[in-house]
Amino acid sequence: MSKYVHTEVDGIKLKLSNLDKVLYPDVGISKAEVIQYYMKIAPYLIKYIGNRPLTLIRYPDGIDKTKFYSKSCPDWAPAWIKRENIQHSEESIPYAVVNNTPGIVWLANLAALEIHPMQMVTSSMEFPDHFIFDIDPPEGADFEGVKHIAFKLKQFLESYHYTPFIKTSGSKGVHIIVPIIAQHSHEEMVDCVKGLAKLFVQQNKDTSTLNLHKGSRGGRTLIDIYRNHMAQTTVSAYSLRAKPNASISCPISWEQLDELNSSGDIDIRNIDEHLEKYGDVWANMDKKAVALHTKRGQGEEANEEVQKKLDSYLKKRDFDKTPEPHPVMKMTSQNRFSVQLHDASNLHYDLRLEDKGVLLSWAIPKGLPTGLGVKRLAIRTEDHPMEYLDFEGTIPKGEYGAGEMWVFALGETKWIKKTDKSYEFELDSKQLKGHFKLYKTKGDQWLIEKKDEAQSKMLKEFVKPQLADVIKKVPTSYNYSFEIKWDGIRTLIYVKNDKVQIFSRSGRDITSQFPELQIAPDAFEIESGIFDGEIISMDEQGRPIFSDVISRLHTGGERSIQAAVSKNPVYCYLFDCLYLDGRNICSEPLKKRQAWLRVSLKKNNQYRLSEGMSDGQALFDAAKKMNLEGIMAKDLTKPYEIGVRNRNWLKIKFRETISVQILGYTEGKGDRSNLFGALHIATKEDDSWKYLGKVGTGFDEAKMIEVLAILKQQGESKKLIEENIEEPQRTVWINPKLWCEVQYASLTNKGTLREPVFLGLRPDLES
Ligand code: MN
């Protein structure tokens, strides 16, 4: 067998070697499994090592054999691996910088089990963006002591208004990471950290020490701050460790720290479970960056006026239970605003306007008005602290305002007029713009009025849906969400003013065919939106029946349509959202669009949520058993690209189908003498026809009668293809306007379809 395997990751060719070699003998983990782990974790890992110079620790023959520290990126590394030169006292070292999945796989193939990034990114080498405390317990100490010191240090750092994050080391201790704004030199940061550490150790001198010398620690835990110097490194979040159980240095929440028995608990075998349960708990780390406390401006003391305004905010919340921010009270003088989408007992939007150190706040049940002169109710709520501006998170059940909160728009306010009872202003942000006036009517009830024309034209025009690429195997990566591939009519659903408008994929208005979907107030929580989905008919087992839904498309006349509604009602499975209450949301990642789609939909009606699942293989197996068409894999991090076919969405099918055009048919014989024999089908490529052969199965008699009637309406034509065909004398050529869907096994070497089966006409594709 060859020692090498050639593969391709995201379009980059890689040569992998010695895949069978066991790198972790105690648990029997081979290099292949290490590579697999790094490939799956890449979307997470990249956030913590991307754009950072790396030091690698390689174990080419396993963790119990010789290891190699490598700082210098090897000469033979592929050209697409970036290098960053750092001048050390003696020499300049080209460090490797890895920014993509192929790069991570390349590292794994080097058996670089441990990946150690620096504390700054290459675009701003002078300014670190975090500092680290490595809590290193003495030999034989129990983990409870580590937890105790970690929680103490957390509290200590929070008193300086830092937000500490924690990860397991994969060994005995834990690492505490504190994000800072990248604007202080390495020396300034080190001085500040030294000051903090000295004070902390002074306050906890029985249990902690700064002394590196093992003999002098006297059973105390080392607070190791010495990794914070320029060009020092610490093992990355999600890196493997060279420990017998293949442990991982894994980000955890402070709550989870309580549950762990050891810092080596999370390893290559149970990381899936951890991520499924908690996700990336460091996801919002960069939002928590603050200036070093030693460098923050003067007059830092809580401003009395701000404090008074936030009294009600503080009283309503229990900060041990809610993740909402505890304020640093100080006067500010900017004019920022945010709109948050809040899925509390009633879905609503919160408008927050910065004013003298606080956020003036209103809850707007129906969202900001989008048309000139439109007024909406706005309920004044307590002033919120500035830290709330970009807050996202889940307020737990039982707490004030319980439910999910997202940032919907974030930008600047231009004030036009401020009085006690009215505010007039312009909002300017990427997401929302407009001129508004808020005025008090009674008590906490206000009205918000739009004072200019609507900005977003999106609701007024048809946009084309995003299309999926095809892939043979279920992809494995934590980035994907998997869904059933619904076999029906792809549609875009426009909701506005309590009305629904339905478009086919090509932009044809097919609203009148589906009166049972005219239920906007019963189906949607939101006022306006554009949704992407599939209209389907189902049999008793809940399987989509393609030909039934297609027949609904060419049912004519109000009476027949009504009869079809009661006999064969359709459902609309929605899987994406492009526009919501005044905002184009295509640029948001799928994960967020899915969350917003979920809260936009009411339950128990003809509109349903196409649920995303994380276990692709299980869904694939279940869908195959149910004889469905296939499944979809969608990258949760990607935006929605209108009218584009791309690899953000992938379809994995059990069998092939194709949409083709009908060029003609053969006259029937024998028991089909009153019907037809088969359809000649083709696709148009550029300006010429590509003949795909004949399809003669997949029809029952009723279907053939129906199809023949439609064929006869098309008008005869000349032969449009050059190929010789079977039964030329019996063929009737027609105008090539009709589309149909055909399933097939594979292509013949002539390029025609093998074992084609007719699935149904596709009037939705006719232009
Ligand atoms: Mn709210």
Side-chain angles (χ1 to χ4, degrees):
M1 217 181 80
S2 162
K3 273 177 67 181
Y4 297 107
V5 171
H6 292 268
T7 185
E8 198 176 301
V9 180
D10 293 351
I12 292 181
K13 290 197 169 66
L14 290 165
K15 188 168 89 174
L16 306 178
S17 59
N18 299 318
L19 292 176
D20 305 340
K21 184 165 275 177
V22 173
L23 298 182
Y24 289 93
D26 281 27
V27 285
I29 298 282
S30 67
K31 192 158 130 189
E33 287 167 279
V34 165
I35 292 175
Q36 217 167 38
Y37 165 70
Y38 273 115
M39 194 146 119
K40 275 176 76 172
I41 203 72
Y44 287 73
L45 181 63
I46 210 82
K47 275 190 350 224
Y48 306 106
I49 67 165
N51 293 313
R52 292 173 195 272
L54 302 176
T55 298
L56 308 169
I57 310 183
R58 298 175 48 208
Y59 296 82
D61 294 308
I63 61 163
D64 50 357
K65 299 278 161 52
T66 315
K67 65 179 171 187
F68 301 91
Y69 274 93
S70 60
K71 291 182 175 229
S72 217
C73 183
D75 295 341
W76 41 266
W80 49 266
I81 298 277
K82 288 189 187 165
R83 276 87 163 164
E84 176 74 21
N85 284 301
I86 297 181
Q87 188 61 48
H88 292 265
S89 52
E90 314 259 288
E91 56 185 336
S92 167
I93 297 182
Y95 286 83
V97 178
V98 166
N99 289 331
N100 53 22
T101 306
I104 288 173
V105 172
W106 180 78
L107 291 180
N109 184 56
L110 291 184
L113 300 179
E114 294 200 358
I115 305 174
H116 295 231
M118 289 186 191
Q119 284 169 249
M120 64 286 186
V121 293
T122 53
S123 58
S124 120
M125 289 293 284
E126 323 79 285
F127 303 126
D129 58 13
H130 63 272
F131 57 81
I132 295 180
F133 291 88
D134 174 3
I135 301 188
D136 189 7
E139 211 60 52
D142 90 27
F143 194 56
E144 291 307 309
V146 172
K147 290 184 192 177
H148 180 75
I149 290 186
F151 279 117
K152 277 231 147 148
L153 186 54
K154 170 182 187 265
Q155 216 174 30
F156 176 80
L157 291 166
E158 282 172 344
S159 72
Y160 290 87
H161 301 301
Y162 292 111
T163 306
F165 290 78
I166 184 167
K167 67 180 171 74
T168 61
S169 67
S171 174
K172 301 190 313 266
V174 291
H175 299 153
I176 291 178
I177 315 290
V178 181
I180 55 172
I181 299 170
Q183 61 182 18
H184 314 283
S185 70
H186 291 272
E187 293 73 27
E188 284 171 338
M189 181 267 279
V190 168
D191 284 346
C192 171
V193 172
K194 267 189 192 154
L196 284 168
K198 270 190 189 148
L199 189 58
F200 179 77
V201 167
Q202 230 168 59
Q203 291 171 6
N204 299 275
K205 51 177 173 288
D206 296 340
T207 50
S208 62
T209 175
L210 290 175
N211 206 326
L212 277 174
H213 183 248
K214 280 203 170 153
S216 331
R217 289 189 208 164
R220 287 169 301 182
T221 291
L222 172 67
I223 309 294
D224 183 353
I225 52 168
Y226 308 98
R227 296 160 184 270
N228 289 301
H229 293 275
M230 160 80 185
Q232 290 289 330
T233 61
T234 306
V235 69
S236 173
Y238 302 113
S239 171
L240 282 166
R241 301 306 309 266
K243 300 289 169 191
N245 67 329
S247 58
I248 287 166
S249 183
C250 187
I252 53 174
S253 65
W254 286 96
E255 293 73 45
Q256 198 193 356
L257 176 62
D258 244 349
E259 299 157 18
L260 288 184
N261 297 316
S262 122
S263 196
D265 276 2
I266 302 168
D267 59 33
I268 198 167
R269 297 268 196 241
N270 59 29
I271 179 81
D272 280 9
E273 209 181 302
H274 167 85
L275 286 171
E276 195 129 307
K277 194 160 168 199
Y278 300 99
D280 182 16
V281 295
W282 283 11
N284 67 347
M285 178 185 278
D286 46 353
K287 290 193 187 145
K288 301 294 180 184
V290 291
L292 291 175
H293 72 281
T294 46
K295 300 286 170 187
R296 290 178 204 156
Q298 300 301 308
E300 192 57 25
E301 311 79 48
N303 182 297
E304 253 177 67
E305 194 187 325
V306 173
Q307 209 163 25
K308 220 158 77 195
K309 287 187 199 164
L310 293 177
D311 199 39
S312 162
Y313 174 86
L314 290 168
K315 277 193 183 135
K316 286 182 170 176
R317 289 166 176 81
D318 177 350
F319 291 94
D320 284 338
K321 294 189 176 140
T322 180
E324 291 167 291
H326 194 284
V328 178
M329 286 170 273
K330 69 170 195 210
M331 187 56 80
T332 62
S333 58
Q334 297 180 61
N335 294 304
R336 291 164 288 180
F337 85 91
S338 71
V339 176
Q340 282 155 320
L341 176 56
H342 188 183
D343 185 25
S345 49
N346 288 304
L347 189 73
H348 64 269
Y349 294 86
D350 288 302
L351 170 64
R352 309 194 193 281
L353 306 173
E354 177 172 10
D355 181 52
K356 299 193 194 83
V358 298
L359 295 167
L360 309 176
S361 296
W362 289 264
I364 308 178
K366 289 177 182 282
L368 271 69
T370 52
L372 174 65
V374 176
K375 293 174 196 154
R376 295 265 170 83
L377 175 68
I379 298 156
R380 182 76 187 258
T381 55
E382 75 277 12
D383 292 345
H384 279 52
M386 287 314 304
E387 289 83 352
Y388 218 93
L389 194 73
D390 60 353
F391 170 70
E392 292 197 332
T394 310
I395 304 169
K397 266 204 183 113
E399 296 306 298
Y400 179 72
E404 200 86 21
M405 179 93 72
W406 296 276
V407 174
F408 193 69
L410 195 60
E412 303 275 324
T413 315
K414 190 177 145 204
W415 289 103
I416 296 168
K417 208 171 167 190
K418 272 190 223 183
T419 72
D420 279 356
K421 289 182 178 161
S422 80
Y423 296 96
E424 192 170 344
F425 51 87
E426 276 172 23
L427 298 182
D428 184 23
S429 69
K430 261 199 331 234
Q431 303 92 354
L432 276 179
K433 291 184 196 326
H435 177 176
F436 298 90
K437 187 175 177 184
L438 265 164
Y439 48 93
K440 188 169 173 167
T441 54
K442 194 177 149 203
D444 59 2
Q445 298 205 4
W446 293 56
L447 284 173
I448 181 166
E449 181 181 346
K450 186 94 192 289
K451 303 290 278 181
D452 60 356
E453 282 296 342
Q455 292 284 335
S456 178
K457 289 193 205 89
M458 202 165 164
L459 260 190
K460 292 183 187 147
E461 53 202 32
F462 169 72
V463 291
K464 284 193 170 147
Q466 173 171 286
L467 302 174
D469 213 334
V470 183
I471 189 174
K472 289 263 184 273
K473 271 201 199 149
V474 179
T476 53
S477 155
Y478 294 116
N479 270 2
Y480 284 104
S481 160
F482 299 92
E483 286 170 42
I484 300 280
K485 185 176 186 309
W486 299 105
D487 199 4
I489 303 164
R490 180 75 180 276
T491 46
L492 286 179
I493 303 281
Y494 282 56
V495 178
K496 52 182 164 180
N497 305 330
D498 287 352
K499 289 212 169 59
V500 168
Q501 202 177 4
I502 306 170
F503 292 99
S504 75
R505 205 178 115 169
S506 57
R508 209 149 66 85
D509 187 332
I510 52 174
T511 313
S512 59
Q513 298 300 122
F514 304 104
E516 68 268 55
L517 296 179
Q518 295 301 321
I519 49 167
D522 294 327
F524 297 96
E525 296 278 359
I526 47 82
E527 289 293 298
S528 61
I530 301 176
F531 300 96
D532 191 354
E534 192 100 358
I535 298 177
I536 62 159
S537 280
M538 283 190 282
D539 65 9
E540 283 97 51
Q541 280 83 46
R543 274 190 306 244
I545 305 296
F546 184 67
S547 55
D548 280 1
V549 72
I550 287 297
S551 88
R552 286 290 308 272
L553 257 194
H554 41 80
T555 304
E558 209 169 314
R559 253 217 202 139
S560 314
I561 289 173
Q562 277 308 336
V565 171
S566 31
K567 193 172 149 249
N568 175 22
V570 297
Y571 294 88
C572 185
Y573 275 84
L574 297 179
F575 42 72
D576 215 318
C577 180
L578 288 66
Y579 174 94
L580 203 58
D581 287 335
R583 216 205 114 178
N584 175 344
I585 63 166
C586 292
S587 61
E588 297 288 348
L590 173 62
K591 192 172 179 173
K592 193 170 261 185
R593 299 196 311 274
Q594 277 182 348
W596 291 356
L597 168 62
R598 178 181 295 277
V599 299
S600 299
L601 271 180
K602 291 186 178 168
K603 294 203 166 65
N604 302 323
N605 60 75
Q606 303 297 112
Y607 289 92
R608 295 177 176 184
L609 182 71
S610 175
E611 290 282 350
M613 293 168 211
S614 57
D615 190 340
Q617 195 57 49
L619 183 68
F620 183 86
D621 295 342
K624 194 164 190 179
K625 215 177 249 174
M626 275 193 76
N627 209 10
L628 301 178
E629 192 192 354
I631 66 167
M632 303 290 300
K634 297 180 175 178
D635 190 330
L636 286 165
T637 65
K638 292 284 173 17
Y640 189 100
E641 293 178 51
I642 288 172
V644 173
R645 184 181 302 280
N646 57 33
R647 298 182 68 78
N648 298 353
W649 290 2
L650 297 165
K651 51 187 167 194
I652 309 115
K653 292 203 209 176
F654 307 123
R655 51 187 204 264
E656 308 283 338
T657 64
I658 184 171
S659 308
V660 299
Q661 280 168 275
I662 302 172
L663 299 190
Y665 58 96
T666 58
E667 288 161 354
K669 48 187 174 186
D671 55 359
R672 285 192 180 176
S673 55
N674 293 324
L675 302 165
F676 59 90
L679 305 175
H680 289 288
I681 53 176
T683 51
K684 203 168 193 181
E685 277 169 18
D686 300 323
D687 263 336
S688 66
W689 289 97
K690 166 139 189 34
Y691 184 60
L692 296 174
K694 285 189 305 181
V695 53
T697 58
F699 315 91
D700 57 18
E701 196 179 333
K703 181 113 260 166
M704 291 192 94
I705 292 170
E706 184 193 325
V707 171
L708 184 60
I710 297 168
L711 291 170
K712 285 190 166 163
Q713 290 164 15
Q714 302 307 311
E716 296 197 13
S717 154
K718 59 179 175 88
K719 182 182 175 194
L720 295 170
I721 49 170
E722 283 163 14
E723 286 90 342
N724 290 323
I725 55 153
E726 296 168 27
E727 302 183 275
Q729 309 84 347
R730 304 180 66 87
T731 290
V732 180
W733 297 108
I734 59 170
N735 285 323
K737 283 184 304 198
L738 289 178
W739 285 78
C740 68
E741 194 80 0
V742 175
Q743 183 196 111
Y744 64 100
S746 57
L747 292 176
T748 66
N749 48 16
K750 277 193 270 172
T752 55
L753 306 185
R754 184 172 280 133
E755 298 165 31
V757 179
F758 178 86
L759 296 178
L761 290 172
R762 294 293 305 268
D764 55 317
L765 297 180
E766 289 167 29
S767 46

mmCIF file of all heavy atoms in Angstrom, residues 317 340-344 346 348-352 362-364 381 384 388 395 400-401 404-405, ligand 1:
data_model
loop_
_atom_site.group_PDB
_atom_site.id
_atom_site.type_symbol
_atom_site.label_atom_id
_atom_site.label_comp_id
_atom_site.label_asym_id
_atom_site.label_seq_id
_atom_site.Cartn_x
_atom_site.Cartn_y
_atom_site.Cartn_z
ATOM 1 N N ARG A 317 -32.819 43.381 37.834
ATOM 2 C CA ARG A 317 -32.033 42.228 37.386
ATOM 3 C C ARG A 317 -31.205 41.594 38.486
ATOM 4 O O ARG A 317 -30.690 42.285 39.359
ATOM 5 C CB ARG A 317 -31.099 42.667 36.248
ATOM 6 C CG ARG A 317 -31.865 42.949 34.979
ATOM 7 C CD ARG A 317 -31.028 43.687 33.957
ATOM 8 N NE ARG A 317 -31.790 43.849 32.716
ATOM 9 C CZ ARG A 317 -32.703 44.797 32.531
ATOM 10 N NH1 ARG A 317 -32.971 45.673 33.484
ATOM 11 N NH2 ARG A 317 -33.365 44.860 31.389
ATOM 12 N N GLN A 340 -32.503 46.039 18.890
ATOM 13 C CA GLN A 340 -32.343 44.628 19.226
ATOM 14 C C GLN A 340 -33.654 43.899 18.966
ATOM 15 O O GLN A 340 -34.734 44.457 19.162
ATOM 16 C CB GLN A 340 -31.915 44.480 20.696
ATOM 17 C CG GLN A 340 -30.434 44.771 20.870
ATOM 18 C CD GLN A 340 -30.066 45.231 22.272
ATOM 19 O OE1 GLN A 340 -30.797 45.998 22.890
ATOM 20 N NE2 GLN A 340 -28.938 44.781 22.764
ATOM 21 N N LEU A 341 -33.528 42.689 18.489
ATOM 22 C CA LEU A 341 -34.701 41.831 18.312
ATOM 23 C C LEU A 341 -34.789 40.982 19.569
ATOM 24 O O LEU A 341 -33.823 40.323 19.945
ATOM 25 C CB LEU A 341 -34.527 40.969 17.060
ATOM 26 C CG LEU A 341 -35.626 39.938 16.761
ATOM 27 C CD1 LEU A 341 -36.995 40.582 16.664
ATOM 28 C CD2 LEU A 341 -35.317 39.219 15.432
ATOM 29 N N HIS A 342 -35.926 41.033 20.219
ATOM 30 C CA HIS A 342 -36.042 40.422 21.538
ATOM 31 C C HIS A 342 -37.215 39.443 21.545
ATOM 32 O O HIS A 342 -38.373 39.832 21.421
ATOM 33 C CB HIS A 342 -36.253 41.547 22.574
ATOM 34 C CG HIS A 342 -36.203 41.068 23.989
ATOM 35 N ND1 HIS A 342 -36.436 41.903 25.055
ATOM 36 C CD2 HIS A 342 -35.944 39.853 24.522
ATOM 37 C CE1 HIS A 342 -36.331 41.219 26.183
ATOM 38 N NE2 HIS A 342 -36.040 39.971 25.880
ATOM 39 N N ASP A 343 -36.872 38.161 21.663
ATOM 40 C CA ASP A 343 -37.907 37.121 21.661
ATOM 41 C C ASP A 343 -38.366 36.866 23.096
ATOM 42 O O ASP A 343 -38.205 35.788 23.634
ATOM 43 C CB ASP A 343 -37.336 35.842 21.027
ATOM 44 C CG ASP A 343 -38.398 34.757 20.883
ATOM 45 O OD1 ASP A 343 -39.588 35.097 20.802
ATOM 46 O OD2 ASP A 343 -38.027 33.576 20.857
ATOM 47 N N ALA A 344 -38.941 37.877 23.693
ATOM 48 C CA ALA A 344 -39.467 37.737 25.061
ATOM 49 C C ALA A 344 -40.884 37.175 24.956
ATOM 50 O O ALA A 344 -41.231 36.593 23.936
ATOM 51 C CB ALA A 344 -39.448 39.082 25.754
ATOM 52 N N ASN A 346 -43.548 38.379 24.151
ATOM 53 C CA ASN A 346 -43.963 38.738 22.800
ATOM 54 C C ASN A 346 -42.744 39.184 22.012
ATOM 55 O O ASN A 346 -41.928 39.955 22.527
ATOM 56 C CB ASN A 346 -44.959 39.904 22.829
ATOM 57 C CG ASN A 346 -46.300 39.437 23.351
ATOM 58 O OD1 ASN A 346 -46.895 38.509 22.819
ATOM 59 N ND2 ASN A 346 -46.745 40.065 24.423
ATOM 60 N N HIS A 348 -40.562 41.364 19.951
ATOM 61 C CA HIS A 348 -40.583 42.810 19.704
ATOM 62 C C HIS A 348 -39.177 43.313 19.408
ATOM 63 O O HIS A 348 -38.201 42.563 19.520
ATOM 64 C CB HIS A 348 -41.167 43.557 20.915
ATOM 65 C CG HIS A 348 -40.326 43.417 22.154
ATOM 66 N ND1 HIS A 348 -40.512 42.412 23.066
ATOM 67 C CD2 HIS A 348 -39.272 44.133 22.618
ATOM 68 C CE1 HIS A 348 -39.628 42.528 24.046
ATOM 69 N NE2 HIS A 348 -38.858 43.558 23.797
ATOM 70 N N TYR A 349 -39.099 44.565 19.004
ATOM 71 C CA TYR A 349 -37.804 45.205 18.787
ATOM 72 C C TYR A 349 -37.582 46.232 19.891
ATOM 73 O O TYR A 349 -38.529 46.892 20.313
ATOM 74 C CB TYR A 349 -37.772 45.904 17.429
ATOM 75 C CG TYR A 349 -37.848 44.935 16.263
ATOM 76 C CD1 TYR A 349 -39.075 44.495 15.773
ATOM 77 C CD2 TYR A 349 -36.692 44.461 15.660
ATOM 78 C CE1 TYR A 349 -39.149 43.602 14.721
ATOM 79 C CE2 TYR A 349 -36.750 43.568 14.595
ATOM 80 C CZ TYR A 349 -37.987 43.138 14.120
ATOM 81 O OH TYR A 349 -38.048 42.258 13.074
ATOM 82 N N ASP A 350 -36.340 46.338 20.366
ATOM 83 C CA ASP A 350 -36.001 47.371 21.334
ATOM 84 C C ASP A 350 -35.132 48.411 20.646
ATOM 85 O O ASP A 350 -34.097 48.080 20.060
ATOM 86 C CB ASP A 350 -35.234 46.768 22.515
ATOM 87 C CG ASP A 350 -36.143 45.929 23.412
ATOM 88 O OD1 ASP A 350 -37.136 46.483 23.919
ATOM 89 O OD2 ASP A 350 -35.860 44.731 23.599
ATOM 90 N N LEU A 351 -35.572 49.668 20.702
ATOM 91 C CA LEU A 351 -34.763 50.759 20.152
ATOM 92 C C LEU A 351 -34.024 51.415 21.312
ATOM 93 O O LEU A 351 -34.638 51.726 22.344
ATOM 94 C CB LEU A 351 -35.682 51.785 19.463
ATOM 95 C CG LEU A 351 -35.015 53.101 19.044
ATOM 96 C CD1 LEU A 351 -33.948 52.875 17.975
ATOM 97 C CD2 LEU A 351 -36.062 54.105 18.558
ATOM 98 N N ARG A 352 -32.708 51.581 21.163
ATOM 99 C CA ARG A 352 -31.919 52.199 22.236
ATOM 100 C C ARG A 352 -31.066 53.326 21.653
ATOM 101 O O ARG A 352 -30.304 53.124 20.710
ATOM 102 C CB ARG A 352 -31.020 51.162 22.893
ATOM 103 C CG ARG A 352 -31.784 49.913 23.323
ATOM 104 C CD ARG A 352 -31.011 49.025 24.266
ATOM 105 N NE ARG A 352 -31.659 47.719 24.383
ATOM 106 C CZ ARG A 352 -32.727 47.461 25.135
ATOM 107 N NH1 ARG A 352 -33.298 48.442 25.842
ATOM 108 N NH2 ARG A 352 -33.251 46.248 25.179
ATOM 109 N N TRP A 362 -36.926 51.977 24.169
ATOM 110 C CA TRP A 362 -38.339 51.734 23.884
ATOM 111 C C TRP A 362 -38.505 50.322 23.344
ATOM 112 O O TRP A 362 -37.676 49.864 22.542
ATOM 113 C CB TRP A 362 -38.850 52.702 22.813
ATOM 114 C CG TRP A 362 -38.993 54.117 23.273
ATOM 115 C CD1 TRP A 362 -40.129 54.726 23.736
ATOM 116 C CD2 TRP A 362 -37.968 55.124 23.285
ATOM 117 N NE1 TRP A 362 -39.873 56.039 24.048
ATOM 118 C CE2 TRP A 362 -38.556 56.310 23.787
ATOM 119 C CE3 TRP A 362 -36.610 55.142 22.943
ATOM 120 C CZ2 TRP A 362 -37.844 57.500 23.947
ATOM 121 C CZ3 TRP A 362 -35.886 56.322 23.099
ATOM 122 C CH2 TRP A 362 -36.504 57.478 23.594
ATOM 123 N N ALA A 363 -39.569 49.647 23.747
ATOM 124 C CA ALA A 363 -39.928 48.362 23.142
ATOM 125 C C ALA A 363 -40.969 48.655 22.068
ATOM 126 O O ALA A 363 -41.978 49.304 22.344
ATOM 127 C CB ALA A 363 -40.498 47.427 24.193
ATOM 128 N N ILE A 364 -40.709 48.196 20.847
ATOM 129 C CA ILE A 364 -41.621 48.477 19.729
ATOM 130 C C ILE A 364 -42.177 47.141 19.225
ATOM 131 O O ILE A 364 -41.479 46.398 18.532
ATOM 132 C CB ILE A 364 -40.889 49.238 18.602
ATOM 133 C CG1 ILE A 364 -40.195 50.472 19.198
ATOM 134 C CG2 ILE A 364 -41.858 49.623 17.498
ATOM 135 C CD1 ILE A 364 -39.392 51.279 18.220
ATOM 136 N N THR A 381 -39.127 51.974 28.138
ATOM 137 C CA THR A 381 -38.656 51.086 29.206
ATOM 138 C C THR A 381 -37.513 51.783 29.938
ATOM 139 O O THR A 381 -37.113 52.890 29.556
ATOM 140 C CB THR A 381 -38.182 49.740 28.637
ATOM 141 O OG1 THR A 381 -37.195 49.991 27.641
ATOM 142 C CG2 THR A 381 -39.329 48.972 27.998
ATOM 143 N N HIS A 384 -31.082 51.894 29.787
ATOM 144 C CA HIS A 384 -30.150 50.773 29.832
ATOM 145 C C HIS A 384 -28.713 51.300 29.811
ATOM 146 O O HIS A 384 -28.449 52.374 29.262
ATOM 147 C CB HIS A 384 -30.384 49.846 28.631
ATOM 148 C CG HIS A 384 -31.537 48.903 28.821
ATOM 149 N ND1 HIS A 384 -32.798 49.322 29.204
ATOM 150 C CD2 HIS A 384 -31.613 47.551 28.687
ATOM 151 C CE1 HIS A 384 -33.594 48.265 29.304
ATOM 152 N NE2 HIS A 384 -32.904 47.172 28.984
ATOM 153 N N TYR A 388 -25.093 47.716 27.034
ATOM 154 C CA TYR A 388 -26.196 46.947 26.459
ATOM 155 C C TYR A 388 -26.265 47.117 24.938
ATOM 156 O O TYR A 388 -26.941 46.354 24.249
ATOM 157 C CB TYR A 388 -27.523 47.401 27.072
ATOM 158 C CG TYR A 388 -28.494 46.262 27.302
ATOM 159 C CD1 TYR A 388 -28.537 45.614 28.529
ATOM 160 C CD2 TYR A 388 -29.339 45.819 26.285
ATOM 161 C CE1 TYR A 388 -29.404 44.560 28.751
ATOM 162 C CE2 TYR A 388 -30.205 44.759 26.499
ATOM 163 C CZ TYR A 388 -30.237 44.142 27.726
ATOM 164 O OH TYR A 388 -31.081 43.096 27.945
ATOM 165 N N ILE A 395 -31.576 35.529 28.059
ATOM 166 C CA ILE A 395 -31.932 35.865 29.436
ATOM 167 C C ILE A 395 -32.737 34.675 29.956
ATOM 168 O O ILE A 395 -33.729 34.279 29.341
ATOM 169 C CB ILE A 395 -32.750 37.171 29.483
ATOM 170 C CG1 ILE A 395 -31.940 38.297 28.808
ATOM 171 C CG2 ILE A 395 -33.139 37.527 30.910
ATOM 172 C CD1 ILE A 395 -32.728 39.558 28.541
ATOM 173 N N TYR A 400 -36.202 38.799 34.454
ATOM 174 C CA TYR A 400 -36.845 39.922 33.782
ATOM 175 C C TYR A 400 -36.481 39.930 32.291
ATOM 176 O O TYR A 400 -35.308 39.876 31.940
ATOM 177 C CB TYR A 400 -36.390 41.214 34.465
ATOM 178 C CG TYR A 400 -36.947 42.469 33.862
ATOM 179 C CD1 TYR A 400 -38.292 42.795 34.024
ATOM 180 C CD2 TYR A 400 -36.135 43.324 33.123
ATOM 181 C CE1 TYR A 400 -38.799 43.950 33.464
ATOM 182 C CE2 TYR A 400 -36.640 44.483 32.562
ATOM 183 C CZ TYR A 400 -37.970 44.794 32.736
ATOM 184 O OH TYR A 400 -38.479 45.929 32.178
ATOM 185 N N GLY A 401 -37.486 39.958 31.412
ATOM 186 C CA GLY A 401 -37.221 39.992 29.962
ATOM 187 C C GLY A 401 -36.725 38.677 29.400
ATOM 188 O O GLY A 401 -36.036 38.655 28.382
ATOM 189 N N GLU A 404 -34.475 35.270 24.112
ATOM 190 C CA GLU A 404 -33.277 35.519 23.312
ATOM 191 C C GLU A 404 -33.233 36.994 22.896
ATOM 192 O O GLU A 404 -34.265 37.579 22.596
ATOM 193 C CB GLU A 404 -33.357 34.633 22.074
ATOM 194 C CG GLU A 404 -32.057 34.391 21.390
ATOM 195 C CD GLU A 404 -31.301 33.220 21.990
ATOM 196 O OE1 GLU A 404 -31.924 32.370 22.654
ATOM 197 O OE2 GLU A 404 -30.083 33.180 21.796
ATOM 198 N N MET A 405 -32.033 37.556 22.863
ATOM 199 C CA MET A 405 -31.851 38.951 22.407
ATOM 200 C C MET A 405 -30.759 38.988 21.351
ATOM 201 O O MET A 405 -29.697 38.405 21.543
ATOM 202 C CB MET A 405 -31.458 39.796 23.622
ATOM 203 C CG MET A 405 -31.213 41.256 23.348
ATOM 204 S SD MET A 405 -32.669 42.289 23.583
ATOM 205 C CE MET A 405 -32.828 42.296 25.363
HETATM 206 MN MN MN B 1 -37.203 44.040 25.202
#
